Amino acid sequence: PPATPAGMPARTPLAIGEVWSGTLDSYTPGGNGLIRGDDELDHELVPEAALRGGLVILRAPDVPPGAHLTPGCRLQYNLYTEAGGLGAENVRVDQPPRPEEWRQAP
């Protein structure tokens, strides 16, 4: 598994090698974002899944170089747990958002 980026909480890979998918819920370029995963995890088996409202954090170091991320785009990723909840690493853009899914930034 990839190393935890410097200054980030310690990561524990979840289901090594399994690819998860979801929709980018929010994102600040150069900052963090949140992914709404397609699959809900059992909170008893994975207690971190109950944190952040079940959303998966996307941290800036895990955004692929040159990726154009906008809310509504579909992502694939590997999942890890950290003290604050679930996180996404090895992120890949699966498809851009459809025009009806575009949202204006607040």
Side-chain angles (χ1 to χ4, degrees), residues 50-79:
L51 304 174
R52 291 189 194 104
L55 297 175
V56 178
I57 193 158
L58 170 60
R59 297 192 182 279
D62 297 305
V63 175
H68 180 69
L69 300 181
T70 57
C73 69
R74 299 281 303 153
L75 303 173
Q76 292 186 338
Y77 50 91
N78 298 114
L79 200 58

Short mmCIF file of all heavy atoms in Angstrom, two decimals, residues 50-79:
data_model
loop_
_atom_site.label_atom_id
_atom_site.label_comp_id
_atom_site.label_asym_id
_atom_site.label_seq_id
_atom_site.Cartn_x
_atom_site.Cartn_y
_atom_site.Cartn_z
N ALA A 50 -19.04 5.38 10.27
CA ALA A 50 -20.09 6.19 10.87
C ALA A 50 -19.66 7.66 11.01
O ALA A 50 -20.50 8.53 11.24
CB ALA A 50 -20.46 5.63 12.25
N LEU A 51 -18.37 7.93 10.86
CA LEU A 51 -17.86 9.30 11.01
C LEU A 51 -18.03 10.07 9.71
O LEU A 51 -18.15 9.48 8.64
CB LEU A 51 -16.40 9.25 11.43
CG LEU A 51 -16.12 8.44 12.71
CD1 LEU A 51 -14.63 8.34 12.97
CD2 LEU A 51 -16.83 9.07 13.90
N ARG A 52 -18.06 11.39 9.79
CA ARG A 52 -18.24 12.28 8.62
C ARG A 52 -19.54 11.96 7.87
O ARG A 52 -19.60 12.09 6.64
CB ARG A 52 -17.08 12.19 7.64
CG ARG A 52 -15.78 12.75 8.12
CD ARG A 52 -14.76 12.81 6.97
NE ARG A 52 -13.45 13.03 7.49
CZ ARG A 52 -12.49 12.10 7.59
NH1 ARG A 52 -12.71 10.87 7.17
NH2 ARG A 52 -11.33 12.41 8.11
N GLY A 53 -20.52 11.47 8.58
CA GLY A 53 -21.79 11.16 7.93
C GLY A 53 -21.68 10.08 6.89
O GLY A 53 -22.48 10.00 5.97
N GLY A 54 -20.65 9.22 7.01
CA GLY A 54 -20.46 8.14 6.05
C GLY A 54 -19.74 8.57 4.78
O GLY A 54 -19.48 7.74 3.91
N LEU A 55 -19.41 9.86 4.67
CA LEU A 55 -18.69 10.33 3.48
C LEU A 55 -17.21 9.98 3.60
O LEU A 55 -16.68 9.82 4.69
CB LEU A 55 -18.85 11.85 3.33
CG LEU A 55 -20.29 12.33 3.09
CD1 LEU A 55 -20.32 13.86 3.08
CD2 LEU A 55 -20.85 11.76 1.81
N VAL A 56 -16.56 9.86 2.46
CA VAL A 56 -15.15 9.46 2.36
C VAL A 56 -14.33 10.71 2.05
O VAL A 56 -14.64 11.43 1.08
CB VAL A 56 -14.97 8.42 1.24
CG1 VAL A 56 -13.51 8.03 1.09
CG2 VAL A 56 -15.84 7.19 1.51
N ILE A 57 -13.31 10.99 2.85
CA ILE A 57 -12.50 12.18 2.60
C ILE A 57 -11.51 11.94 1.47
O ILE A 57 -10.95 10.86 1.34
CB ILE A 57 -11.77 12.68 3.87
CG1 ILE A 57 -11.22 14.08 3.61
CG2 ILE A 57 -10.67 11.73 4.28
CD1 ILE A 57 -10.95 14.89 4.85
N LEU A 58 -11.37 12.96 0.65
CA LEU A 58 -10.38 12.96 -0.42
C LEU A 58 -9.40 14.08 -0.06
O LEU A 58 -9.77 15.24 -0.05
CB LEU A 58 -11.04 13.24 -1.77
CG LEU A 58 -10.12 13.50 -2.96
CD1 LEU A 58 -9.21 12.31 -3.21
CD2 LEU A 58 -10.93 13.83 -4.19
N ARG A 59 -8.19 13.70 0.29
CA ARG A 59 -7.18 14.68 0.69
C ARG A 59 -6.36 15.11 -0.53
O ARG A 59 -6.13 14.33 -1.46
CB ARG A 59 -6.29 14.11 1.78
CG ARG A 59 -7.09 13.80 3.05
CD ARG A 59 -6.17 13.51 4.21
NE ARG A 59 -6.90 13.16 5.42
CZ ARG A 59 -7.46 14.04 6.24
NH1 ARG A 59 -7.38 15.32 6.00
NH2 ARG A 59 -8.10 13.63 7.32
N ALA A 60 -5.90 16.36 -0.50
CA ALA A 60 -5.16 16.94 -1.64
C ALA A 60 -4.03 16.04 -2.15
O ALA A 60 -3.88 15.89 -3.36
CB ALA A 60 -4.64 18.32 -1.26
N PRO A 61 -3.21 15.40 -1.27
CA PRO A 61 -2.12 14.57 -1.79
C PRO A 61 -2.60 13.35 -2.59
O PRO A 61 -1.82 12.74 -3.32
CB PRO A 61 -1.37 14.12 -0.55
CG PRO A 61 -1.72 15.11 0.51
CD PRO A 61 -3.13 15.54 0.18
N ASP A 62 -3.88 12.99 -2.46
CA ASP A 62 -4.41 11.82 -3.16
C ASP A 62 -5.09 12.16 -4.48
O ASP A 62 -5.58 11.28 -5.18
CB ASP A 62 -5.39 11.07 -2.25
CG ASP A 62 -4.69 10.53 -1.01
OD1 ASP A 62 -3.70 9.80 -1.17
OD2 ASP A 62 -5.13 10.86 0.11
N VAL A 63 -5.13 13.45 -4.83
CA VAL A 63 -5.72 13.87 -6.10
C VAL A 63 -4.68 13.66 -7.19
O VAL A 63 -3.54 14.12 -7.07
CB VAL A 63 -6.15 15.35 -6.04
CG1 VAL A 63 -6.64 15.82 -7.40
CG2 VAL A 63 -7.22 15.55 -4.98
N PRO A 64 -5.03 12.95 -8.25
CA PRO A 64 -4.07 12.72 -9.33
C PRO A 64 -3.60 14.03 -9.95
O PRO A 64 -4.42 14.94 -10.14
CB PRO A 64 -4.84 11.88 -10.34
CG PRO A 64 -6.07 11.42 -9.65
CD PRO A 64 -6.33 12.35 -8.52
N PRO A 65 -2.31 14.14 -10.28
CA PRO A 65 -1.82 15.36 -10.93
C PRO A 65 -2.60 15.64 -12.22
O PRO A 65 -2.86 14.74 -13.01
CB PRO A 65 -0.36 15.04 -11.25
CG PRO A 65 0.01 13.92 -10.33
CD PRO A 65 -1.26 13.15 -10.09
N GLY A 66 -3.01 16.88 -12.38
CA GLY A 66 -3.73 17.28 -13.59
C GLY A 66 -5.19 16.90 -13.62
O GLY A 66 -5.89 17.18 -14.59
N ALA A 67 -5.69 16.26 -12.56
CA ALA A 67 -7.10 15.85 -12.54
C ALA A 67 -7.99 17.08 -12.42
O ALA A 67 -7.72 17.98 -11.65
CB ALA A 67 -7.36 14.90 -11.38
N HIS A 68 -9.05 17.09 -13.19
CA HIS A 68 -10.05 18.17 -13.11
C HIS A 68 -11.25 17.60 -12.36
O HIS A 68 -12.04 16.85 -12.93
CB HIS A 68 -10.44 18.64 -14.50
CG HIS A 68 -11.45 19.74 -14.47
ND1 HIS A 68 -11.16 21.01 -14.03
CD2 HIS A 68 -12.75 19.75 -14.82
CE1 HIS A 68 -12.25 21.76 -14.10
NE2 HIS A 68 -13.23 21.01 -14.57
N LEU A 69 -11.33 17.93 -11.09
CA LEU A 69 -12.40 17.39 -10.25
C LEU A 69 -13.48 18.45 -10.03
O LEU A 69 -13.17 19.59 -9.70
CB LEU A 69 -11.86 16.96 -8.90
CG LEU A 69 -10.79 15.87 -8.93
CD1 LEU A 69 -10.36 15.54 -7.51
CD2 LEU A 69 -11.29 14.63 -9.64
N THR A 70 -14.71 18.04 -10.23
CA THR A 70 -15.85 18.90 -9.95
C THR A 70 -16.91 18.06 -9.26
O THR A 70 -17.01 16.85 -9.51
CB THR A 70 -16.45 19.51 -11.24
OG1 THR A 70 -16.81 18.44 -12.12
CG2 THR A 70 -15.47 20.44 -11.93
N PRO A 71 -17.69 18.66 -8.36
CA PRO A 71 -18.76 17.90 -7.73
C PRO A 71 -19.63 17.22 -8.78
O PRO A 71 -19.93 17.80 -9.82
CB PRO A 71 -19.53 18.97 -6.94
CG PRO A 71 -18.49 19.99 -6.61
CD PRO A 71 -17.62 20.03 -7.86
N GLY A 72 -19.94 15.96 -8.51
CA GLY A 72 -20.76 15.17 -9.43
C GLY A 72 -19.95 14.20 -10.27
O GLY A 72 -20.52 13.29 -10.85
N CYS A 73 -18.61 14.40 -10.34
CA CYS A 73 -17.83 13.45 -11.14
C CYS A 73 -17.73 12.12 -10.41
O CYS A 73 -17.81 12.05 -9.19
CB CYS A 73 -16.46 14.01 -11.53
SG CYS A 73 -15.27 14.21 -10.20
N ARG A 74 -17.61 11.08 -11.19
CA ARG A 74 -17.53 9.72 -10.66
C ARG A 74 -16.06 9.36 -10.45
O ARG A 74 -15.23 9.62 -11.32
CB ARG A 74 -18.18 8.73 -11.63
CG ARG A 74 -19.65 8.99 -11.87
CD ARG A 74 -20.54 8.50 -10.77
NE ARG A 74 -20.32 7.09 -10.58
CZ ARG A 74 -20.51 6.45 -9.44
NH1 ARG A 74 -20.94 7.08 -8.38
NH2 ARG A 74 -20.28 5.16 -9.34
N LEU A 75 -15.76 8.76 -9.31
CA LEU A 75 -14.39 8.40 -8.96
C LEU A 75 -14.30 6.93 -8.62
O LEU A 75 -15.26 6.33 -8.14
CB LEU A 75 -13.92 9.23 -7.76
CG LEU A 75 -13.98 10.74 -7.90
CD1 LEU A 75 -13.63 11.41 -6.57
CD2 LEU A 75 -13.04 11.21 -8.99
N GLN A 76 -13.12 6.38 -8.84
CA GLN A 76 -12.77 5.05 -8.34
C GLN A 76 -11.57 5.25 -7.43
O GLN A 76 -10.74 6.13 -7.67
CB GLN A 76 -12.42 4.11 -9.48
CG GLN A 76 -13.61 3.78 -10.35
CD GLN A 76 -13.26 2.73 -11.39
OE1 GLN A 76 -12.11 2.54 -11.75
NE2 GLN A 76 -14.27 2.06 -11.89
N TYR A 77 -11.46 4.43 -6.39
CA TYR A 77 -10.42 4.63 -5.39
C TYR A 77 -10.25 3.39 -4.54
O TYR A 77 -11.09 2.48 -4.56
CB TYR A 77 -10.75 5.83 -4.50
CG TYR A 77 -12.15 5.78 -3.92
CD1 TYR A 77 -12.42 5.18 -2.70
CD2 TYR A 77 -13.23 6.31 -4.63
CE1 TYR A 77 -13.71 5.13 -2.19
CE2 TYR A 77 -14.52 6.25 -4.14
CZ TYR A 77 -14.75 5.67 -2.91
OH TYR A 77 -16.04 5.60 -2.42
N ASN A 78 -9.15 3.37 -3.79
CA ASN A 78 -8.96 2.37 -2.75
C ASN A 78 -9.33 3.05 -1.44
O ASN A 78 -9.13 4.26 -1.27
CB ASN A 78 -7.51 1.88 -2.71
CG ASN A 78 -7.12 1.20 -4.01
OD1 ASN A 78 -6.27 1.69 -4.73
ND2 ASN A 78 -7.73 0.08 -4.32
N LEU A 79 -9.86 2.29 -0.53
CA LEU A 79 -10.39 2.83 0.72
C LEU A 79 -9.45 2.55 1.88
O LEU A 79 -8.83 1.49 1.95
CB LEU A 79 -11.75 2.17 0.98
CG LEU A 79 -12.74 2.83 1.91
CD1 LEU A 79 -13.10 4.23 1.47
CD2 LEU A 79 -14.00 1.98 1.99
#
